[in-house]
Amino acid sequence: MMKVLFVVGFGPIVSDMQKSATFYQESLGISFQEETDGYLHTEGLQGVKTFALWPLSQAAQSCFGVNEWPTDLPAPTSRLEFDVEDVAQASEELKAKGYQLLIAAKKEPWGQTVTRLLSPEGILVGLTYTPLMRKSEAVPE
């Protein structure tokens, strides 16, 4: 049986490069290297901490408190989460740039604080503070 060692990378397939580049570079502050053919990539972010298969009903519950995704929004086909220093500040920055937040700085039962929105490609993007994944920030006894 095949043994997968780790997630090498994740990224959207974009139809509007300018809109997507604006979202990830200017709104989220991610620096990319640009290849001559316009391909943008970075190896400057630390790796994926979790790879999960998340049912759409649970995503809807997280964002809207119901089990059905609203029909007036495109249903996401993937999720992408970025842990950030300050979820509330990041949320305000995105709102100021005109992005529609689905939830803002919501505290989940497992301790994660999350803001969720749809990217230009329809990815359910989370800006999070995840204490369980920040071992280096453990409070000394």
Side-chain angles (χ1 to χ4, degrees):
M1 174 166 223
M2 181 186 323
K3 182 178 179 184
V4 175
L5 300 178
F6 56 88
V7 176
V8 173
F10 177 83
I13 297 171
V14 304
S15 58
D16 185 334
M17 180 57 90
Q18 183 58 47
K19 193 173 193 178
S20 295
T22 296
F23 177 70
Y24 293 101
Q25 289 178 305
E26 295 176 20
S27 299
L28 297 183
I30 298 173
S31 296
F32 291 98
Q33 178 179 340
E34 184 171 359
E35 300 297 330
T36 56
D37 61 0
Y39 179 75
L40 299 175
H41 63 95
T42 182
E43 286 69 42
L45 293 177
Q46 289 188 9
V48 173
K49 300 284 186 180
T50 300
F51 177 79
L53 304 179
W54 198 22
L56 183 59
S57 61
Q58 290 179 14
Q61 187 62 236
S62 175
C63 293
F64 308 107
V66 296
N67 290 329
E68 298 291 325
W69 193 264
T71 57
D72 62 328
L73 290 174
T77 57
S78 60
R79 74 173 177 92
L80 176 60
E81 294 189 355
F82 299 101
D83 224 53
V84 297
E85 287 181 334
D86 187 328
V87 174
Q89 178 186 348
S91 302
E92 290 304 314
E93 287 178 30
L94 289 170
K95 283 191 336 192
K97 291 179 180 187
Y99 291 102
Q100 177 187 353
L101 305 183
L102 303 177
I103 57 170
K106 176 186 175 187
K107 181 105 180 214
E108 297 284 13
W110 53 89
Q112 180 187 56
T113 301
V114 62
T115 289
R116 295 195 195 285
L117 69 153
L118 290 172
S119 75
E121 312 80 23
I123 296 171
L124 186 57
V125 174
L127 303 178
T128 68
Y129 175 81
T130 312
L132 294 173
M133 294 184 180
R134 295 186 178 209
K135 294 177 185 169
S136 64
E137 292 187 14
V139 178
E141 295 182 30

